């Protein structure tokens, strides 16, 4: 399959889990290139051969979460291979930017690592004529705390130490709080370089929700903000930017979804949750936490409530779910068939299975079934 996207589909993304994407008819480019990804007619995989195109045609543009970007690359590759003449372009500009584009009518749907706020729902009604924007969870996975520290391969932190590191209350790697959690580790007397997102991000918001819940005494910032709230530290754009910064700097630490850690061979923190053993950031462990999520949305909205303070054995608490945000009614007629066909594929069993090896977590069966019933009703 030939693609026009300058950097191609990320090779790092091959395999993984489930939760979010976006598309629309309008001229906006990807975060790496302004050219859309070109579709092809060949069927390159079993997943592609099972995709139902259902009248999909032309160009679809979407924007939002960079956390789901590697998952989106996989979906786009397979969808375009199956549906000749379709061009899908996903712009990984962060959840906040994606929602803004969606509510300005620039994209068919947005990817967001947090559900729409009440004011964003109200704004969406101006674009979704006769309807409203709804949250459709399609991708899940762990937010990894990645680090680069020579000689330390199995770092353990808890919510309190993570909060203090990112709030610049702990500034040395051999701080007593870190040493207590890592007996026997050779922690250097060096300064911690903490990296955070410079853009508005649902990943940042989910980290804030986790810290506000599991380390309430140490993280006093608004858990609803998508912008980085704490002083100090260094900023980088997007999950890929933070991952590259951590990979390049000795003594650094940052946060991004697991696929970026895997692709860049970045060591990740195991979290002491109070369970019998520290919990590693893996897709399987994230799935255990996501499976306990409760649906808080109503009607066609499937917004979820996550338990960030879980102490269940083997449940990794620092997780995110990425939503594809679309109009339940009032979608543009010219893009609606492609929008529905693409989202149908993303939430299908085939779409979910293809993500597992890419360090994402599929949606739990009950939640996936609910989304599968809603997507065909979009109008």
């Amino acid at each position: 399959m030939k693609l026009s996207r300058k950097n191609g589909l990320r090779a790092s993304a091959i395999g993984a889990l489930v939760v979010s994407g976006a598309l629309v008819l309008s001229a906006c480019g990807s975060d790496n290139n302004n050219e859309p990804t070109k579709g092809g007619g060949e069927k390159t995989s079993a997943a592609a051969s099972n995709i139902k195109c259902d009248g999909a045609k032309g160009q679809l543009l979407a924007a939002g979460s960079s956390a789901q970007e590697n998952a989106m690359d996989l979906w786009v590759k397979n969808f375009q291979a199956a549906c000749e003449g379709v061009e899908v372009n996903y712009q990984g500009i962060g959840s906040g930017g994606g929602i803004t584009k969606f509510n300005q009518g620039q994209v068919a749907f947005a990817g967001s690592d947090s559900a729409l706020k009440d004011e964003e729902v109200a704004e969406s009604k101006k674009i979704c004529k006769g309807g409203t924007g709804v949250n459709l969870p399609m991708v899940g996975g762990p937010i990894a705390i990645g680090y680069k520290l020579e000689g330390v391969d199995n770092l353990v932190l808890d919510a309190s130490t993570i909060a203090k590191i990112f709030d610049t209350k702990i500034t040395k790697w051999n701080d007593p709080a870190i040493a207590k959690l890592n007996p026997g580790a050779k922690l250097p007397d060096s300064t911690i370089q903490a990296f955070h997102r410079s853009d508005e991000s649902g990943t940042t918001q989910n980290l804030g929700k986790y810290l506000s819940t599991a380390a309430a005494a140490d993280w006093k910032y608004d858990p609803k903000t998508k912008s980085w709230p704490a002083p100090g530290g260094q900023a980088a754009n997007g999950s890929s930017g933070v991952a590259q910064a951590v990979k390049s700097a000795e003594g650094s630490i940052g946060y991004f979804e697991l696929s970026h850690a895997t692709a860049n061979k970045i060591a990740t923190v195991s979290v002491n949750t109070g369970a019998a053993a520290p919990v590693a950031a893996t897709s399987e462990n994230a799935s255990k936490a996501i499976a306990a999520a409760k649906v808080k949305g109503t009607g066609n909205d499937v917004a979820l409530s996550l338990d960030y303070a879980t102490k269940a054995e083997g449940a990794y608490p620092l997780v995110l779910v990425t939503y594809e945000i679309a109009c339940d009614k009032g979608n543009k007629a010219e893009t609606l068939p492609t929008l529905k066909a693409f989202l149908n594929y993303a939430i299908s069993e085939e779409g979910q299975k293809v993500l597992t090896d890419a360090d994402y977590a599929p949606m739990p069966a009950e939640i996936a079934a609910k989304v599968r019933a809603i997507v065909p009703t979009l109008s």
Side-chain angles (χ1 to χ4, degrees):
M1 181 175 72
K2 186 175 180 181
L3 303 172
S4 68
R5 194 173 184 173
K6 193 175 293 181
N7 291 336
L9 295 172
R10 282 183 174 75
S12 63
I14 296 190
L17 267 156
V18 158
V19 162
S20 156
L23 311 166
V24 178
L25 182 60
S26 141
C28 49
S30 76
D31 57 333
N32 293 326
N33 191 353
N34 287 331
E35 296 181 5
T37 307
K38 298 289 185 182
E42 72 272 37
K43 296 179 181 179
T44 59
S45 68
S49 68
N50 292 327
I51 293 172
K52 296 179 180 179
C53 299
D54 291 334
K57 62 182 179 180
Q59 185 186 61
L60 276 167
L61 298 182
S65 165
S66 64
Q68 72 161 359
E69 202 166 13
N70 290 337
M72 187 60 65
D73 281 346
L74 288 170
W75 287 337
V76 168
K77 176 183 177 181
N78 288 336
F79 187 74
Q80 291 183 160
C83 302
E84 186 174 1
V86 173
E87 297 178 359
V88 175
N89 185 320
Y90 181 76
Q91 193 179 23
I93 59 174
S95 299
I99 291 172
T100 296
K101 283 183 174 291
F102 176 74
N103 278 338
Q104 290 176 347
Q106 296 180 32
V107 293
F109 69 92
S112 177
D113 304 323
S114 58
L116 292 170
K117 299 177 182 177
D118 290 344
E119 57 269 29
E120 292 168 339
V121 172
E123 190 175 354
S124 75
K125 294 179 180 180
K126 300 175 184 177
I127 297 299
C128 304
K129 302 300 183 182
T132 186
V134 291
N135 302 286
L136 303 173
M138 294 198 185
V139 178
I143 300 174
I145 304 296
Y147 69 97
K148 184 175 183 180
L149 194 61
E150 186 175 357
V152 180
D153 298 324
N154 299 296
L155 185 67
V156 175
L157 299 175
D158 58 15
S160 176
T161 55
I162 294 170
K164 290 176 181 177
I165 287 170
F166 283 109
D167 198 22
T168 63
K169 298 295 193 296
I170 291 178
T171 59
K172 294 286 188 177
W173 278 112
N174 64 348
D175 186 276
I178 299 177
K180 184 178 179 180
L181 290 165
N182 297 274
K186 296 181 180 179
L187 298 168
D189 182 23
S190 59
T191 300
I192 298 172
Q193 297 188 64
F195 287 92
H196 58 263
R197 292 279 291 270
S198 61
D199 53 321
E200 285 200 346
S201 162
T203 310
T204 294
Q205 186 183 52
N206 279 276
L207 174 64
K209 289 179 179 179
Y210 163 69
L211 295 176
S212 295
T213 302
D218 302 303
W219 193 258
K220 300 295 188 180
Y221 303 102
D222 180 5
K224 296 182 180 180
T225 182
K226 293 185 178 74
S227 301
W228 184 252
Q234 302 176 62
N237 187 64
S239 291
S240 58
V242 175
Q244 284 297 323
V246 171
K247 181 180 181 179
S248 302
E250 176 62 26
S252 61
I253 192 168
Y255 59 94
F256 29 80
E257 83 277 9
L258 183 60
S259 66
H260 283 287
T262 302
N264 290 283
K265 298 181 180 179
I266 297 171
T268 59
V269 167
S270 291
V271 177
N272 183 335
T273 63
V279 185
T282 68
S283 297
E284 180 182 3
N285 292 343
S287 292
K288 292 178 182 177
I290 295 172
K294 307 296 183 185
V295 176
K296 64 179 181 180
T298 58
N300 286 337
D301 188 86
V302 196
L304 303 176
S305 177
L306 299 169
D307 181 8
Y308 296 100
T310 181
K311 296 182 180 180
E313 297 299 329
Y316 184 79
L318 183 44
V319 295
L320 60 76
V321 169
T322 302
Y323 302 92
E324 308 314 331
I325 295 169
C327 297
D328 59 352
K329 297 178 182 178
N331 291 284
K332 293 179 181 179
E334 62 269 30
T335 57
L336 180 60
T338 311
L339 170 67
K340 292 170 69 173
F342 182 79
L343 295 184
N344 271 324
Y345 164 61
I347 195 59
S348 71
E349 289 186 14
E350 291 81 4
Q352 296 288 292
K353 285 178 182 176
V354 77
L355 298 172
T356 316
D357 293 338
D359 297 320
Y360 291 94
M363 288 298 96
E366 184 178 347
I367 294 171
K370 188 174 182 65
V371 177
R372 286 171 192 152
I374 292 170
V375 172
T377 71
L378 300 181
S379 64

